[in-house]
């Protein structure tokens, strides 16, 4: 059963500017795995990969119905950006929010254009709280 959906768009140029200005802060937003995958991309595609991961995180937060709040941090969601689509890995606050709502998994799909990353997320589960 679908319990939530989310969509987000991140412009690549905005993410590229963020990467240039705040490189030291990436560990607050992206998991170690996400950073490793995005940094392995060819130089011209790194910002696009990061934009996809960021949009994926936003879409997951929307699918969970949490938005961006203090008990669900950016690093509680690993979007697996090398796959393009698949199941997000939920940790800590995001995992707790999902379990509370009976959400057993969140599927994420990311598409990239030259200008933007678009991500969708679908939260699935039985809806039984616990």
């Amino acid at each position: 059963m679908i319990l939530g959906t989310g969509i987000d768009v991140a412009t690549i140029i905005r993410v590229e500017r963020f990467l240039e200005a705040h490189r030291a802060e990436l560990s607050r937003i992206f998991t170690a795995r996400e950073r490793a995958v995005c940094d392995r991309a060819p130089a011209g595609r790194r910002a696009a990969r990061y934009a996809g991961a960021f949009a994926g995180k936003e879409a997951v937060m929307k699918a969970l119905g949490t938005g961006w709040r203090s008990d669900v941090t950016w690093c509680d969601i690993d979007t697996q950006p090398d796959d393009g689509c698949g199941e997000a890995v939920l940790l800590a606050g995001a995992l707790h929010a999902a379990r509370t709502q009976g959400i057993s998994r969140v599927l994420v799909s990311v598409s990239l254009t030259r200008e933007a990353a678009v991500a969708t997320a679908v939260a699935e589960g039985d809806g039984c709280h616990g």
Side-chain angles (χ1 to χ4, degrees), residues 25-73:
E25 298 176 42
L26 294 183
S27 63
R28 285 187 327 109
I29 299 169
F30 301 99
T31 66
R33 183 184 179 289
E34 287 170 326
R35 291 190 316 272
V37 169
C38 292
D39 288 340
R40 277 197 314 263
R45 297 303 294 161
R46 281 190 195 119
R49 285 282 179 104
Y50 273 108
F54 185 81
K57 288 172 182 292
E58 287 273 7
V60 169
M61 287 181 183
K62 291 172 183 175
L64 292 175
T66 63
W68 180 32
R69 61 185 204 202
S70 63
D71 63 330
V72 178
T73 69

Side-chain angles (χ1 to χ4, degrees), residues 73-85:
T73 69
W74 298 106
C75 287
D76 289 351
I77 301 165
D78 188 313
T79 60
Q80 303 192 40
D82 57 336
D83 298 335
C85 66

Side-chain angles (χ1 to χ4, degrees), residues 10 16 21-23 27-28 34 36 38 42-43 49 58 70 79 84 90 99-102 104 108 118-120 128:
E16 187 171 41
H22 303 284
R23 189 79 183 164
S27 63
R28 285 187 327 109
E34 287 170 326
C38 292
R49 285 282 179 104
E58 287 273 7
S70 63
T79 60
L90 305 179
R99 286 183 175 161
T100 300
Q101 299 175 69
S104 56
V108 179
V118 178
T120 59
C128 295

